Amino acid sequence: MKTALDFLKPRTVAVIGASRDPMKRGYRAIKTLIDGGYAGHVLPINPKEREILGFACYPDLASAPGEIDLALVCTPARSVPDVIGSCGARGVRAALVLAGGFSEAGSEGADLEARSMAAAEKGGVRVIGPNTAGLFDAYTGCNLVGWPGVYPGKIGVLCQSGNVAIGFLAQSQKNGHAGFTTFVGVGNEGDIRFHEYLRFYGEDPNTGAVIVYVEGFKDGLAFLAALREVAVRKPVVVYKAGRTGKGEGAARSHSGSLAGNYAVAQAALRQAGAIVVERSDEVFAVADMASRTAGRPTRRVAILSEGGGPISQAVDALAERDLELPRLSADTEARLKKITPNATQLDNPVDAGGGTDPHPRYFPLCAEAILADPSVDALLIVGYFGGYQVRYGSALAEAENTAARELVDLARQSGKPVIVQCHYAEFATGAIDILRAADIVVVRSIEIAAACLAGANRFHRVASGPLPAASLPPLSRRRETAAKLIAGARASGRRSLLEPEALELLASEGVAVPPFAVLHAPSDARSLAPMLEQGPVALKIVSKDILHKSDVGGVRLSVRGAPSIEAQSEALLQHIRMTCPDADIVGVLVAPMAKAAVEVIIGVTNDPQFGRVLMFGLGGIFVEVMKDVVFRTLPIDRQEAATMVDEIHGRALLDGTRGRPPVDREKLVSLLLDVSRLALAYPEISEIDLNPVILNADGCTIVDARMLLD
Amino acid sequence: MKTALDFLKPRTVAVIGASRDPMKRGYRAIKTLIDGGYAGHVLPINPKEREILGFACYPDLASAPGEIDLALVCTPARSVPDVIGSCGARGVRAALVLAGGFSEAGSEGADLEARSMAAAEKGGVRVIGPNTAGLFDAYTGCNLVGWPGVYPGKIGVLCQSGNVAIGFLAQSQKNGHAGFTTFVGVGNEGDIRFHEYLRFYGEDPNTGAVIVYVEGFKDGLAFLAALREVAVRKPVVVYKAGRTGKGEGAARSHSGSLAGNYAVAQAALRQAGAIVVERSDEVFAVADMASRTAGRPTRRVAILSEGGGPISQAVDALAERDLELPRLSADTEARLKKITPNATQLDNPVDAGGGTDPHPRYFPLCAEAILADPSVDALLIVGYFGGYQVRYGSALAEAENTAARELVDLARQSGKPVIVQCHYAEFATGAIDILRAADIVVVRSIEIAAACLAGANRFHRVASGPLPAASLPPLSRRRETAAKLIAGARASGRRSLLEPEALELLASEGVAVPPFAVLHAPSDARSLAPMLEQGPVALKIVSKDILHKSDVGGVRLSVRGAPSIEAQSEALLQHIRMTCPDADIVGVLVAPMAKAAVEVIIGVTNDPQFGRVLMFGLGGIFVEVMKDVVFRTLPIDRQEAATMVDEIHGRALLDGTRGRPPVDREKLVSLLLDVSRLALAYPEISEIDLNPVILNADGCTIVDARMLLD
């Protein structure tokens, strides 16, 4: 059965702009196809040539024979709308456009891109690029990027930068055993976008792990949807550029796409199941590892070495990535003791050193005992195993290679992942080659080894855990009150709800809000409900023109009794009329004082890439100072909301400190879900800020509510 | 002139336990000396042999001729006290003891170590080790570790693990141009400790940078003192194992030394001028880089590439390490535009890509323009420069090698550091070789390149900045009041001062404390000073048996007027007598309520490795929850105290939030210095906790004070 993008493994490629000049891309492309052993048909197209590199050359697409899966467009940008038009006329399924000079290069280029895409749509042609490095498929030998030395393996690469992909290729070449399936440079995503490519990798039987390098998504929500589908079946390792403000700038100008707030992107990608990696030098190894562990757990790690030092470093690196070092059983320890009588430490980490002579044979012997221990998920070997033959000379090569072969067998028999950190990983020793050929990852860096284990275990959790929430039981219907409040605000030309309106809207949606009243005149204080009248209450100015009430002295706290409320309201109104003479004042909001407790913030925003985003964190002044907040794209489910609550650094505050009882987490989680539902039901409310929400053992009190309209 | 440890470059080495058996260390040691071209004299010692590997063998040290700088002791642990005794008798200057089985291996071994050291002291012999990998000096060819392939360079290695040092050696071998001066494995630090070795490197003319790998110091204060001296002259790159709780455990059992709290160690090492590196895979490259930049600044970095992707990643990596990307001048941009007409970005980062053909020659041309820009300190090249000849084939090799040579000249002429991140760094291309041979560091990882720049700039700052504070103007004298209070507490068998005592002690040392009184009976309230009587005041139970007053309900807040104070004190005392029937109660402390403001903590502890440590951070319940605290070893000066205040995450709180004025930083800094002086003057006060100290625009109020005695 054909999958949607099977032209990424084309049976026939037409090269438009084919050339006999070895310096031109139209020549090199054909040369690389020959060198790569491409099994499909190559149709050079050039009106001036009859034959190129042994292939018959055709003057145009119309005269070329047979079905054409893919046209490789090597001609300049200005020609592309016409070329794509001719592809459509000829029934070519897809066009790969190499040229730059489109939307990434200003408004003129954007216009050219729009015209190209219109031609594609009209002719039913799918477009890869423009402004792309190209694509290769290592299994069919269809190499349209012109990179030498691509060989088949398990890693698919979906990349917004050809130069970054070259970095992966170089690592594959040095490794000798970690190869590729299909590479696609997405370019400007003029037509086909990240999510469609990702689904292609999800279907591709050769692909064991996908690397995604992205600067910005054109359709972030569609990518998240595809990620939710694919990430439970295959590890998807995502590096998102633009972590810092400056990085965002660089990414924007590089690919003409939107790089949003990184914290949101990171949360959204994780939430949908990605393995998010934040160092460029870890991406390839993590994908390699995850493609080999294939969903097995790697959380509980045993460390094995002959000699310390690297053990201490490995312990730190594992702990920093939330991996565990289980204690080995007494039985395992006893077995190890027999193998390595001089060992200095056996309960994990296992340091088989202590003697004066090198013992590569210790490794399979100890590994056998360790892998049999049920408390161990995976084995990390550190130090110089794999490099004994460099360190001590070739006399040890045979013993070490034998040990490597035995280790391979043990890893297979036990079904548990083994990874080797070796100081000599860059030396192509026989032992390292044996290990890598048999799915045992060998890296030089201890930290990268730890990242590999963390990434593999992350995939295990995604693959074996509950599916990420794709939907949230919606509000049964849009309610009249909310619609009326929003319409009313708009009718009076406002772009936000007044605080009492926001509170009323929340209440109308079933969210518990504290009792409140609005005094349109101070004398209204005389008819307050007893609960408010008896106080203590807070008085807050209500005006569409005053968003930051405290900053202008628009709040009075701890007022009690109608006479005081009336007098203070009068004073408050006078003060505001003085300080903000142009403010349109509605009145004074009266609300009960909340007891001092834990203050949190619950917020909703619209992310340009990922849509509705929920924020939760410590509230009050700590929002700005400590920035202890976490994000999720909506929808979320109850489990995900509970995870959010657990992720803030200040979570211990919620458990009660200094004799305070813990807050009611269930009610907090329910409030997060209520706000999420409301945000999804009313997309016209562009931002919601509930800050602070005061939490205690009895529940949540929304002390301040702000809603902006789009 | 002889420096203290010049036997680390011995002119004569006696090998005790020399052997003809190629499997024995006593053979391999001599073999490696020969292979390394050791220029000094080798004296094998073995009563059973006449000749080993061409050297005359002597039955004992006494019969060996000439002065002996160093004895390499290859014999088992139990023989070591006698061997060292014979070294002393013979006038051997130092002994290097390889064997393990000393203090790292339990009490019996500790005893053996003590006897060995006693013998050394008696005979005037300095000891390296025991339980050490050995030492090498790459310049004299004195290789006593038995590692092949050590060659000379600029990096000194001072290492608590031979296995970690092997990792550096492997990197040096693959690099081909970054070599070593002297390596020393400190082993158990039985005699010579880290600080003496560090001073040796400080004096060594060949050493351009020092790597220190440490699990725990036996004399941390002495190391800090040596570090303060050396780090201003040479970059000292320190990796301290034991960052996590588990790592501490592994380090402890590995070397039998004390690995303390990592946060304190990190602060102490930085404060004394170290370049602290926290990834094992960055240590070698950072040292290599810093040895070459030799104190030049590298903060303002220009990025150059042909093609994006790696640029975005580099921008992130630099920003995360507080390096800057200055905007290039219009003049520089214009020069660049002429060189690379198709360039997509020129204002830094500089992306010279945009054309379709590869242009290695762009690099020297662009580099010349960039390095001439006065806003640029250093140049970072990213992508595949150095690997064009791999990526595009050998046809480009000559052009690329020429470009590399030109780049080398430009770097030299400009005097500005250049570093290259190259995807093909592991491929020994001609261009990479040219760069590395000429002091241009080439690494594969973008993050490691950024770490190199950050490390080099750190050394620039240490070398050019003010010397770290080695002393603090002390208290003029120990005062009677303090001495009396401490003596009084001890006399009554207490290990802490009562809160009023601590306040009195602070006051007696000139530290402003709020007015307070102790009610020995509730009726004492009637004779309170008016300021306290008028309140509001806090009432706090005073008892040596109650350290956490809030936890047992030992505090009453916001009490006003003598009658209330009396009544509440009575109630408080009754409550405590009920809940803590065994507590020895002194009375009730009355102190004014401090206005709600910013709460901080100021603390002093004794670190087992680094002595007196000052802590500063957000106070109140946030100490436990947010752990937003920073450390310094004492003494500090005013500048260092001000830096502490700026380092907490919540520093924005001190600048005033929500209309609050900023706190008085000068007074806060003075208080930090006062507490530091006090801590140094009274070492018998083992811990001080001022928490909270309330800060506002007027100054600091110490709300609670606790002092523990040792």
Side-chain angles (χ1 to χ4, degrees):
Chain A
M1 196 195 85
K2 280 190 182 180
T3 63
L5 302 190
D6 63 354
F7 48 76
L8 297 176
K9 301 180 176 191
R11 290 156 308 175
T12 303
V13 176
V15 180
I16 299 176
S19 170
R20 293 175 71 95
D21 178 351
M23 292 313 292
K24 298 264 185 184
R25 182 66 181 258
Y27 172 92
R28 292 201 314 259
I30 299 170
K31 184 77 170 56
T32 322
L33 284 170
I34 297 169
D35 293 348
Y38 177 50
H41 300 288
V42 180
L43 301 171
I45 309 290
N46 184 336
K48 295 184 196 146
E49 305 290 348
R50 288 295 193 77
E51 173 271 324
I52 295 176
L53 283 161
F55 293 104
C57 185
Y58 300 90
D60 49 38
L61 279 171
S63 50
E67 258 188 58
I68 301 175
D69 287 335
L70 185 69
L72 176 69
V73 183
C74 300
T75 56
R78 62 179 183 282
S79 70
V80 168
D82 288 346
V83 167
I84 290 183
S86 67
C87 288
R90 173 63 176 74
V92 174
R93 297 180 59 215
L96 190 163
V97 181
L98 296 169
F102 291 91
S103 62
E104 85 285 2
S107 61
E108 215 169 305
D111 182 54
L112 196 59
E113 187 167 316
R115 285 194 288 124
S116 305
M117 294 313 126
E121 201 177 348
K122 191 175 161 211
V125 181
R126 300 305 308 269
V127 178
I128 303 155
N131 185 31
T132 169
L135 75 82
F136 67 69
D137 180 76
Y139 284 81
T140 59
C142 180
N143 185 337
L144 301 178
V145 283
W147 301 336
V150 178
Y151 57 88
K154 289 183 168 186
I155 302 175
V157 178
L158 174 54
C159 212
Q160 208 162 3
S161 159
N163 202 326
V164 166
I166 282 278
F168 301 141
L169 182 64
Q171 290 175 69
S172 158
Q173 288 167 348
K174 263 292 154 193
N175 180 297
H177 297 278
F180 299 99
T181 58
T182 306
F183 158 84
V184 181
V186 298
N188 288 2
E189 292 186 274
D191 170 27
I192 310 176
R193 296 184 172 177
F194 272 103
H195 60 280
E196 284 194 81
Y197 293 120
L198 185 62
R199 286 207 175 88
F200 163 82
Y201 288 107
E203 302 290 317
D204 179 39
N206 297 324
T207 298
V210 190
I211 291 175
V212 180
Y213 170 81
V214 58
E215 302 187 341
F217 294 105
K218 283 209 167 158
D219 190 345
L221 283 176
F223 183 77
L224 294 182
L227 184 55
R228 275 192 294 269
E229 287 171 32
V230 175
V232 292
R233 289 183 282 126
K234 293 184 183 180
V236 181
V237 178
V238 182
Y239 180 103
K240 167 77 176 67
R243 284 199 299 286
T244 58
K246 282 191 177 162
E248 284 180 32
R252 228 188 314 267
S253 59
H254 176 53
S255 278
S257 57
L258 291 162
N261 177 302
Y262 183 74
V264 170
Q266 183 203 49
L269 293 165
R270 286 200 176 139
Q271 187 181 346
I275 303 168
V276 177
V277 171
E278 303 195 326
R279 283 180 67 109
S280 68
D281 59 5
E282 294 182 348
V283 174
F284 184 80
V286 169
D288 184 22
M289 180 76 179
S291 78
R292 294 171 199 279
T293 57
R296 286 173 288 165
T298 54
R299 183 173 56 87
R300 300 174 305 161
V301 180
I303 299 176
L304 172 61
S305 170
E306 191 184 0
I311 283 184
S312 300
Q313 297 177 323
V315 168
D316 281 345
L318 293 177
E320 283 166 356
R321 287 161 185 82
D322 288 329
L323 297 166
E324 286 174 25
L325 268 80
R327 187 165 180 141
L328 301 177
S329 71
D331 181 47
T332 307
E333 272 199 56
R335 284 181 67 181
L336 291 169
K337 184 76 192 166
K338 274 191 205 151
I339 299 163
T340 67
N342 294 313
T344 52
Q345 191 175 7
L346 290 174
D347 57 350
N348 194 20
V350 177
D351 184 349
T356 47
D357 299 319
H359 293 104
R361 71 187 171 84
Y362 278 174
F363 287 88
L365 293 171
C366 292
E368 185 170 19
I370 293 168
L371 290 169
D373 193 308
S375 68
V376 170
D377 291 332
L379 174 62
L380 167 63
I381 293 175
V382 296
Y384 41 77
F385 180 65
Y388 277 81
Q389 49 203 279
V390 185
R391 160 77 180 82
Y392 292 101
S394 54
L396 276 174
E398 201 174 307
E400 187 174 31
N401 295 351
T402 302
R405 275 183 217 104
E406 290 171 9
L407 197 64
V408 163
D409 289 341
L410 288 165
R412 286 199 180 134
Q413 286 155 23
S414 71
K416 294 181 181 178
V418 175
I419 180 169
V420 176
Q421 178 276 323
C422 174
H423 300 324
Y424 295 91
E426 290 170 17
F427 296 63
T429 72
I432 291 173
D433 227 41
I434 289 163
L435 296 170
R436 284 181 171 157
D439 282 343
I440 295 182
V441 169
V442 182
V443 293
R444 194 194 76 199
S445 156
I446 291 171
E447 288 78 13
I448 292 178
C452 285
L453 287 162
N457 195 60
R458 163 87 182 133
F459 175 58
H460 161 72
R461 274 173 36 226
V462 171
S464 61
L467 288 176
S471 71
L472 181 72
L475 292 170
S476 54
R477 54 186 171 80
R478 289 170 61 96
R479 291 171 216 250
E480 257 178 46
T481 311
K484 213 182 285 176
L485 286 163
I486 293 169
R490 284 195 166 145
S492 54
R494 282 189 275 128
R495 299 200 46 197
S496 62
L497 298 188
L498 298 170
E499 187 177 352
E501 290 171 344
L503 292 170
E504 194 182 341
L505 192 150
L506 287 163
S508 76
E509 299 291 347
V511 178
V513 297
F516 66 91
V518 178
L519 310 182
H520 295 284
S523 58
D524 291 350
R526 298 169 209 166
S527 49
L528 279 172
M531 203 230 136
L532 288 174
E533 197 249 309
Q534 282 153 28
V537 296
L539 306 178
K540 300 193 259 185
I541 198 74
V542 179
S543 165
K544 74 168 179 10
D545 301 315
I546 300 173
L547 274 181
H548 298 279
K549 297 177 286 283
S550 311
D551 294 353
V552 295
V555 178
R556 294 285 187 279
L557 298 176
S558 301
V559 187
R560 262 175 221 268
S564 277
I565 295 173
E566 185 172 348
Q568 293 279 341
S569 295
E570 183 58 53
L572 176 60
L573 288 164
Q574 273 181 20
H575 168 73
I576 293 296
R577 280 189 210 109
M578 295 266 292
T579 50
C580 312
D582 299 328
D584 180 11
I585 298 167
V586 173
V588 175
L589 180 76
V590 184
M593 290 291 291
K595 266 184 275 182
V598 183
E599 296 189 0
V600 298
I601 182 171
I602 298 175
V604 174
T605 52
N606 273 327
D607 182 81
Q609 294 188 78
F610 300 113
R612 302 243 87 170
V613 171
L614 180 71
M615 181 177 89
F616 169 74
L618 286 191
I621 54 171
F622 283 90
V623 179
E624 296 138 53
V625 174
M626 303 305 288
K627 296 179 181 66
D628 185 12
V629 291
V630 295
F631 299 92
R632 288 294 186 282
T633 56
L634 295 181
I636 53 168
D637 57 16
R638 181 161 278 272
Q639 176 55 43
E640 194 77 49
T643 311
M644 280 183 92
V645 172
D646 281 333
E647 271 178 18
I648 63 168
H649 296 298
R651 60 189 159 276
L653 280 177
L654 309 178
D655 300 331
T657 43
R658 300 271 169 103
R660 256 187 210 153
V663 307
D664 187 331
R665 282 190 180 228
E666 283 303 299
K667 284 194 183 154
L668 171 59
V669 166
S670 296
L671 179 56
L672 287 169
L673 292 173
D674 285 345
V675 173
S676 300
R677 278 194 201 95
L678 196 151
L680 291 172
Y682 299 97
E684 61 268 53
I685 303 176
S686 57
E687 284 181 41
I688 302 174
D689 246 21
L690 309 184
N691 181 32
V693 175
I694 291 193
L695 309 181
N696 55 36
D698 303 326
C700 317
T701 308
I702 298 167
V703 174
D704 204 342
R706 192 193 306 175
M707 295 187 187
L708 303 186
L709 303 176
D710 60 4
Chain B
M1 196 196 82
K2 280 190 184 182
T3 62
L5 302 191
D6 64 353
F7 48 77
L8 296 176
K9 301 180 176 190
R11 290 156 308 178
T12 305
V13 176
V15 180
I16 299 175
S19 170
R20 295 175 70 94
D21 178 350
M23 293 313 291
K24 297 264 185 184
R25 182 65 182 258
Y27 172 92
R28 293 203 313 261
I30 299 170
K31 184 76 170 57
T32 322
L33 284 170
I34 296 170
D35 293 347
Y38 177 50
H41 301 288
V42 180
L43 301 172
I45 309 290
N46 184 335
K48 295 184 197 146
E49 306 289 349
R50 288 294 194 75
E51 172 272 323
I52 295 177
L53 284 161
F55 293 104
C57 186
Y58 299 90
D60 49 38
L61 279 169
S63 50
E67 258 187 58
I68 301 176
D69 287 335
L70 185 68
L72 177 68
V73 183
C74 301
T75 56
R78 61 178 183 283
S79 71
V80 168
D82 289 346
V83 168
I84 290 183
S86 67
C87 288
R90 173 61 175 78
V92 174
R93 298 180 58 215
L96 191 162
V97 181
L98 296 170
F102 291 90
S103 62
E104 85 285 2
S107 61
E108 216 168 303
D111 183 54
L112 196 59
E113 186 167 316
R115 286 194 287 124
S116 305
M117 294 312 127
E121 201 177 350
K122 191 176 161 210
V125 181
R126 301 304 309 269
V127 178
I128 303 155
N131 185 31
T132 168
L135 76 83
F136 67 69
D137 180 76
Y139 284 80
T140 60
C142 179
N143 184 339
L144 300 178
V145 283
W147 301 335
V150 177
Y151 57 87
K154 290 183 169 186
I155 302 175
V157 178
L158 174 53
C159 212
Q160 207 162 3
S161 159
N163 202 326
V164 165
I166 282 277
F168 301 141
L169 182 64
Q171 289 175 69
S172 157
Q173 288 168 346
K174 263 292 155 193
N175 179 298
H177 297 278
F180 299 99
T181 58
T182 307
F183 158 84
V184 181
V186 297
N188 289 2
E189 293 185 272
D191 171 25
I192 310 176
R193 297 184 172 178
F194 273 103
H195 60 281
E196 286 194 80
Y197 294 120
L198 185 62
R199 286 206 173 88
F200 163 82
Y201 289 107
E203 301 290 318
D204 178 41
N206 298 323
T207 298
V210 190
I211 291 176
V212 180
Y213 170 82
V214 57
E215 301 188 341
F217 294 104
K218 283 209 167 156
D219 191 343
L221 282 175
F223 183 77
L224 294 183
L227 185 55
R228 275 192 294 268
E229 288 170 32
V230 175
V232 293
R233 289 183 282 125
K234 293 184 182 179
V236 181
V237 179
V238 182
Y239 180 103
K240 166 80 175 66
R243 282 199 300 286
T244 59
K246 282 189 178 163
E248 284 180 31
R252 228 188 314 268
S253 59
H254 176 54
S255 277
S257 56
L258 291 161
N261 177 304
Y262 182 74
V264 170
Q266 183 204 50
L269 293 165
R270 286 199 177 141
Q271 186 182 347
I275 302 168
V276 177
V277 171
E278 303 194 327
R279 283 181 67 109
S280 67
D281 59 5
E282 294 182 349
V283 173
F284 183 80
V286 169
D288 183 22
M289 180 76 180
S291 78
R292 294 171 199 280
T293 57
R296 286 173 288 165
T298 54
R299 183 173 55 86
R300 300 173 306 160
V301 180
I303 299 176
L304 172 62
S305 171
E306 192 184 0
I311 283 183
S312 299
Q313 296 178 324
V315 168
D316 281 345
L318 294 177
E320 283 166 357
R321 287 160 184 83
D322 288 330
L323 297 165
E324 287 175 25
L325 269 81
R327 188 168 179 139
L328 300 177
S329 70
D331 181 47
T332 307
E333 272 198 58
R335 285 182 68 182
L336 290 168
K337 185 76 193 167
K338 274 190 205 152
I339 299 162
T340 66
N342 295 311
T344 53
Q345 191 175 6
L346 289 174
D347 57 350
N348 193 21
V350 177
D351 182 350
T356 47
D357 300 319
H359 294 104
R361 71 187 170 83
Y362 278 175
F363 287 89
L365 294 171
C366 291
E368 184 170 18
I370 293 168
L371 289 168
D373 193 308
S375 68
V376 171
D377 291 332
L379 174 63
L380 167 62
I381 292 175
V382 296
Y384 41 76
F385 180 65
Y388 277 81
Q389 49 202 280
V390 185
R391 160 77 180 82
Y392 292 101
S394 54
L396 276 175
E398 202 175 308
E400 187 173 30
N401 295 351
T402 302
R405 274 182 217 105
E406 290 171 9
L407 197 63
V408 163
D409 289 341
L410 287 166
R412 286 200 179 133
Q413 285 155 22
S414 71
K416 294 182 181 178
V418 175
I419 180 169
V420 176
Q421 177 276 323
C422 173
H423 300 324
Y424 295 91
E426 289 169 20
F427 295 63
T429 71
I432 291 173
D433 227 42
I434 289 163
L435 295 170
R436 283 182 172 155
D439 281 344
I440 295 182
V441 169
V442 182
V443 293
R444 195 195 75 200
S445 156
I446 290 171
E447 288 78 12
I448 292 178
C452 286
L453 287 162
N457 195 59
R458 164 88 181 130
F459 175 57
H460 161 72
R461 274 172 36 225
V462 171
S464 60
L467 288 177
S471 70
L472 181 72
L475 291 170
S476 53
R477 53 187 172 82
R478 288 172 61 99
R479 289 169 216 252
E480 257 179 46
T481 312
K484 214 183 285 176
L485 285 163
I486 293 168
R490 284 193 168 147
S492 54
R494 283 190 274 126
R495 300 200 46 199
S496 63
L497 299 188
L498 298 169
E499 186 177 350
E501 291 171 345
L503 291 170
E504 195 182 340
L505 193 151
L506 286 164
S508 76
E509 297 291 347
V511 178
V513 296
F516 66 92
V518 178
L519 309 182
H520 295 283
S523 58
D524 291 351
R526 298 170 209 167
S527 49
L528 280 170
M531 203 227 135
L532 287 173
E533 196 250 308
Q534 282 153 29
V537 295
L539 306 179
K540 301 193 260 185
I541 199 73
V542 179
S543 164
K544 74 169 178 12
D545 302 314
I546 299 174
L547 274 182
H548 298 279
K549 298 178 284 285
S550 311
D551 294 354
V552 295
V555 179
R556 294 284 187 278
L557 299 177
S558 302
V559 187
R560 260 175 223 269
S564 276
I565 295 173
E566 184 172 350
Q568 293 279 342
S569 295
E570 183 58 53
L572 176 60
L573 287 164
Q574 273 182 21
H575 168 73
I576 293 296
R577 280 190 210 107
M578 294 266 293
T579 51
C580 312
D582 299 328
D584 179 12
I585 298 169
V586 173
V588 175
L589 180 75
V590 184
M593 289 291 290
K595 266 185 276 180
V598 183
E599 296 189 359
V600 297
I601 182 170
I602 298 175
V604 175
T605 52
N606 273 327
D607 183 81
Q609 293 188 78
F610 301 112
R612 303 244 87 171
V613 171
L614 180 71
M615 180 177 88
F616 169 73
L618 285 192
I621 54 172
F622 283 91
V623 179
E624 295 137 55
V625 174
M626 304 305 287
K627 297 180 179 65
D628 186 11
V629 291
V630 296
F631 299 92
R632 288 294 186 282
T633 56
L634 295 181
I636 53 168
D637 57 16
R638 181 160 278 271
Q639 175 57 41
E640 194 76 49
T643 310
M644 281 183 92
V645 172
D646 282 334
E647 272 178 16
I648 62 168
H649 296 298
R651 60 190 159 275
L653 280 177
L654 309 177
D655 299 330
T657 44
R658 300 272 169 105
R660 257 186 208 152
V663 307
D664 187 330
R665 282 189 179 227
E666 283 304 299
K667 285 194 182 153
L668 172 59
V669 166
S670 296
L671 179 57
L672 287 169
L673 292 173
D674 285 344
V675 173
S676 302
R677 277 193 201 95
L678 196 152
L680 291 173
Y682 300 97
E684 60 268 54
I685 304 175
S686 57
E687 285 181 40
I688 302 175
D689 246 19
L690 309 183
N691 182 31
V693 176
I694 291 193
L695 309 181
N696 56 36
D698 303 326
C700 318
T701 309
I702 298 168
V703 175
D704 204 342
R706 193 194 303 176
M707 294 187 187
L708 303 186
L709 303 176
D710 61 3

